[in-house]
C-alpha cells in the first residue's frame, strides 16, 4: 500500500510499540525489529524468495550483534538505544545481502547506515522508543539502496578515527589524539584515518580478538523472546512475582513489602517509579511487579493502559515495592523478596537470560503469542495460515503471499 521505505518505517515502529518483540544480550537491544521490516519490504518489492529473506535476516542480526560485542557495554551504558543505533547497521546488512551488493558497495552501505544511526535511552517510556526501531529499518534500507546506486559513505565508518566505534562506545575520554595519523588540513583523508579505539585499557579486548571469539557462533540462535509486553529487564521480576503468587499463594492484601534486587545499570532502563501511562509502565519495575502479584496478564494488549497504571489497587501495591541496587545481581536474574503481614519472608529468582533449549516449547509459546496479536487484526483463519506459511518460508518462491495475508481484515474490505 506504500513504498518499501515507508513500509519499513511503519512496520518497524509498529513491531516495537508494545515492547513485545525480542532481545539479545550481546546486542543489548532488540535484534529482529529493525532488520525484518526492512528485509521483508525489500524482498516483497524485488520478488525475492523466502530462503533469501531468511538468509538476509540472519546476515543482519549477526552483524548488528557482532557490532554490539565491539562497542558494548559502554555504548548502551552511555545512553544509546542499541536497537536504533546498531539496528540501522543490521537493517543495512540484511538489505545489502538481498541486493547482492559487492564488497565495495557493502562497505558504503554500512558507512551510510552508521552516519544515520541514532536513538537515546532517555526516550524510553515514550512513543520515540519504537520510532527508533522504525527509523533503523527505514535508514538501513535507504543506506543499502543508495549504495546500490553508487552513493558513497565512509567505508571504514566503524573503525576510523571519530567514527562510530570511537565516538559512540561510551568509554571515558573524548577520543582526542587517539588516532594514529594526523588529520590533513583539508579534512579529505580524515575519514580513513585509523583509530586505536579497541585497544586501550578502558575498552578491554581488541576488536579482532572480540570477533575471533564469536567466529564459530551464530548469535541469532541466542535470541531471547519476550512473553510480557514490557521491557525485558522487568521479565525476571514479573516471573518471580507470578511464581510466588502461584506456588506460595501470596495475595496482595497479605503483602506488606516487596524488594527487588537489581544491578545499578537497570536504574537507567526500567526504574520509572510512579508511571501514569501504559508506556511508562512498561519501564517500571515497581509497576510490573505489582501487575505480576495482582495476576494481570502481562502479555495482553490492554494491560499496559493509562487507566491500569493509575488504578488504586495497582498504585497501592506498587508503592510497597523497593528497588534495591545489588552489585552482584545479573540484569536478567533479579531476586524478589516479599515480607507478608504475618512477618514471614518469601524469596524467588527467575533467570530469563538464557534461550529456552526446548525449541518445541518455545515454538508453542511464540505461536500462542502470535495468535493473541494477529487474530484480532487479520482473523483466526488468516492467522493460522500465516503460521503455516512462516513455518515453511524457506520453500516460498516469493514472499508476496505471506505479506498479502498480513493486511488487516478491516483494511482488506
Amino acid at each position: 500500500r506504500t513504498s518499501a521505505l515507508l513500509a519499513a518505517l511503519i512496520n518497524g515502529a509498529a513491531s516495537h510499540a508494545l515492547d513485545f518483540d525480542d532481545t539479545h544480550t550481546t546486542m543489548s537491544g532488540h535484534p529482529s525489529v529493525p532488520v525484518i521490516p526492512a528485509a521483508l519490504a525489500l524482498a516483497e518489492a524485488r520478488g525475492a524468495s523466502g530462503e533469501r529473506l531468511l538468509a538476509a535476516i540472519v546476515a543482519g542480526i549477526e552483524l548488528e550483534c557482532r557490532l554490539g560485542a565491539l562497542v558494548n557495554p559502554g555504548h548502551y551504558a552511555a545512553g544509546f538505544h542499541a536497537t536504533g543505533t546498531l539496528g540501522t547497521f543490521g537493517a543495512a546488512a540484511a538489505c545489502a545481502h538481498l541486493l547482492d551488493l559487492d564488497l565495495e558497495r557493502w562497505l558504503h552501505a554500512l558507512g551510510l547506515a552508521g552516519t544515520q544511526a541514532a536513538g537515546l535511552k532517555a526516550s524510553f517510556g515514550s512513543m520515540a522508543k519504537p520510532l527508533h526501531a522504525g527509523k533503523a529499518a527505514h535508514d538501513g534500507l535507504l543506506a543499502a539502496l543508495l549504495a546500490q546506486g553508487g552513493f558513497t559513505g565512509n567505508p571504514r565508518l566503524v573503525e576510523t578515527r571519530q567514527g562510530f566505534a570511537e565516538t559512540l562506545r561510551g568509554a571515558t575520554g573524548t577520543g582526542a589524539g587517539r588516532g594514529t595519523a594526523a588529520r590533513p588540513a583539508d579534512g579529505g583523508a580524515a575519514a580513513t584515518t585509523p583509530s586505536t579505539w579497541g585497544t586501550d585499557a578502558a575498552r578491554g579486548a581488541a576488536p579482532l580478538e572480540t570477533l575471533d571469539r564469536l567466529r564459530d557462533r551464530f548469535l541469532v540462535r541466542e535470541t531471547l523472546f519476550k512473553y510480557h509486553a514490557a521491557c525485558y529487564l522487568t521479565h525476571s521480576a514479573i516471573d518471580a512475582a507470578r511464581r510466588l503468587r502461584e506456588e506460595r499463594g501470596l495475595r496482595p492484601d497479605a503483602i506488606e513489602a516487596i524488594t527487588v534486587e537489581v544491578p545499578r545499570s537497570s536504574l537507567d532502563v526500567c526504574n520509572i517509579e510512579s508511571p501514569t501511562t501504559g508506556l511508562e509502565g512498561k519501564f517500571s519495575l515497581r509497576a510490573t511487579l505489582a501487575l505480576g502479584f495482582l495476576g494481570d496478564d502481562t502479555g495482553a494488549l490492554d494491560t499496559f493502559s493509562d487507566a491500569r497504571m493509575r488504578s488504586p489497587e495497582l498504585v497501592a501495591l506498587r508503592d510497597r515495592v523497593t528497588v534495591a541496587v545489588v552489585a552482584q545481581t545479573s540484569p536478567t536474574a533479579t531476586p524478589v523478596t516479599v515480607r507478608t503481614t504475618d512477618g514471614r519472608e518469601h524469596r524467588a529468582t527467575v533467570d530469563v537470560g538464557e534461550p529456552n533449549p526446548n525449541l518445541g516449547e518455545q515454538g508453542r509459546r511464540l505461536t500462542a503469542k502470535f495468535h493473541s496479536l494477529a487474530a484480532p487484526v487479520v482473523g483466526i483463519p488468516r492467522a493460522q495460515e500465516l503460521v503455516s506459511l512462516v513455518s515453511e518460508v524457506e520453500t516460498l518462491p516469493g514472499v508476496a503471499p505471506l505479506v498479502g495475508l498480513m493486511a488487516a481484515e478491516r483494511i482488506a474490505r
Side-chain angles (χ1 to χ4, degrees):
R1 295 171 61 83
T2 186
S3 68
L5 284 167
L6 283 179
L9 172 68
I10 294 165
N11 290 330
S15 297
H16 194 49
L18 295 172
D19 270 280
F20 199 20
D21 38 16
D22 56 17
T23 193
H24 204 293
T25 56
T26 302
M27 181 188 175
S28 292
H30 307 278
S32 69
V33 69
V35 170
I36 292 178
L40 185 62
L42 183 60
E44 182 193 7
R46 299 301 174 98
S49 68
E51 184 178 20
R52 286 188 52 76
L53 171 64
L54 282 183
I57 291 168
V58 171
I61 291 176
E62 293 299 324
L63 187 139
E64 66 188 355
C65 287
R66 280 164 168 73
L67 186 54
L70 294 180
V71 299
N72 282 321
H75 179 71
Y76 192 76
F80 294 105
H81 182 203
T83 305
T85 54
L86 306 181
T88 308
F89 286 91
C95 295
H97 186 87
L98 269 174
L99 292 170
D100 282 323
L101 299 190
D102 59 24
L103 177 59
E104 180 182 5
R105 283 177 168 79
W106 250 91
L107 294 175
H108 284 301
L110 295 181
L112 291 165
T115 204
Q116 300 178 86
L120 297 173
K121 284 159 60 181
S123 296
F124 287 10
S126 75
M127 293 180 182
K129 184 175 189 277
L131 179 62
H132 295 166
K135 283 289 290 177
H138 173 281
D139 295 348
L141 172 55
L142 176 63
L145 291 172
L146 288 173
Q148 182 189 41
F151 205 93
T152 63
N154 185 339
R156 297 183 59 186
L157 190 84
V158 171
E159 68 268 29
T160 191
R161 181 174 171 352
Q162 295 191 335
F164 183 86
E166 184 176 89
T167 57
L168 274 74
R169 66 191 171 98
T172 56
T174 62
R178 287 206 298 270
T180 57
R183 177 180 295 276
D186 65 358
T192 56
T193 301
S195 165
T196 58
W197 64 271
T199 58
D200 59 359
R203 179 62 184 88
L208 291 181
E209 295 171 3
T210 300
L211 293 178
D212 282 343
R213 288 199 296 269
L214 301 175
R215 186 177 300 278
D216 297 324
R217 285 164 60 186
F218 274 98
L219 297 179
V220 67
R221 298 177 68 180
E222 299 170 25
T223 300
L224 300 167
F225 296 103
K226 301 171 73 171
Y227 304 106
H228 307 293
C231 172
Y232 200 73
L233 296 186
T234 68
H235 285 213
S236 61
I238 295 171
D239 284 347
R242 293 174 66 176
R243 177 177 294 179
L244 289 170
R245 173 184 170 87
E246 294 165 6
E247 296 181 2
R248 308 285 179 86
L250 297 183
R251 293 295 178 263
D253 57 357
I255 294 174
E256 185 174 288
I258 305 167
T259 301
V260 55
E261 300 170 18
V262 301
R264 185 167 297 278
S265 58
S266 294
L267 301 184
D268 294 327
V269 182
C270 54
N271 193 38
I272 296 178
E273 292 189 359
S274 303
T276 58
T277 69
L279 283 173
E280 291 176 346
K282 293 170 180 289
F283 298 92
S284 172
L285 279 160
R286 300 176 79 211
T288 51
L289 261 172
L291 289 170
F293 279 112
L294 288 167
D296 286 45
D297 180 359
T298 46
L301 300 185
D302 56 356
T303 295
F304 291 90
S305 66
D306 297 357
R308 187 55 174 153
M309 289 302 113
R310 297 169 184 167
S311 65
E313 66 166 350
L314 187 140
V315 171
L317 188 56
R318 179 202 73 194
D319 289 347
R320 289 177 238 163
V321 177
T322 298
V323 178
V325 174
V326 177
Q328 298 87 350
T329 299
S330 161
T332 59
T334 52
V336 173
T337 304
V338 177
R339 186 173 72 250
T340 52
T341 52
D342 60 8
R344 292 187 297 168
E345 283 195 350
H346 306 266
R347 186 175 175 87
T349 303
V350 177
D351 191 347
V352 295
E354 295 292 333
N356 188 343
N358 186 331
L359 296 184
E361 179 187 351
Q362 182 169 270
R364 286 189 292 274
R365 293 189 73 183
L366 283 171
T367 300
K369 169 181 166 179
F370 172 76
H371 277 295
S372 72
L373 288 163
V377 180
V378 301
I380 293 174
R382 265 205 281 172
Q384 291 172 335
E385 192 174 352
L386 274 166
V387 170
S388 177
L389 274 182
V390 167
S391 70
E392 54 188 35
V393 65
E394 71 275 11
T395 68
L396 297 179
V399 299
L402 185 67
V403 176
L405 287 170
M406 295 178 188
E409 283 192 329
R410 55 183 174 270
I411 294 175
R413 286 199 296 269

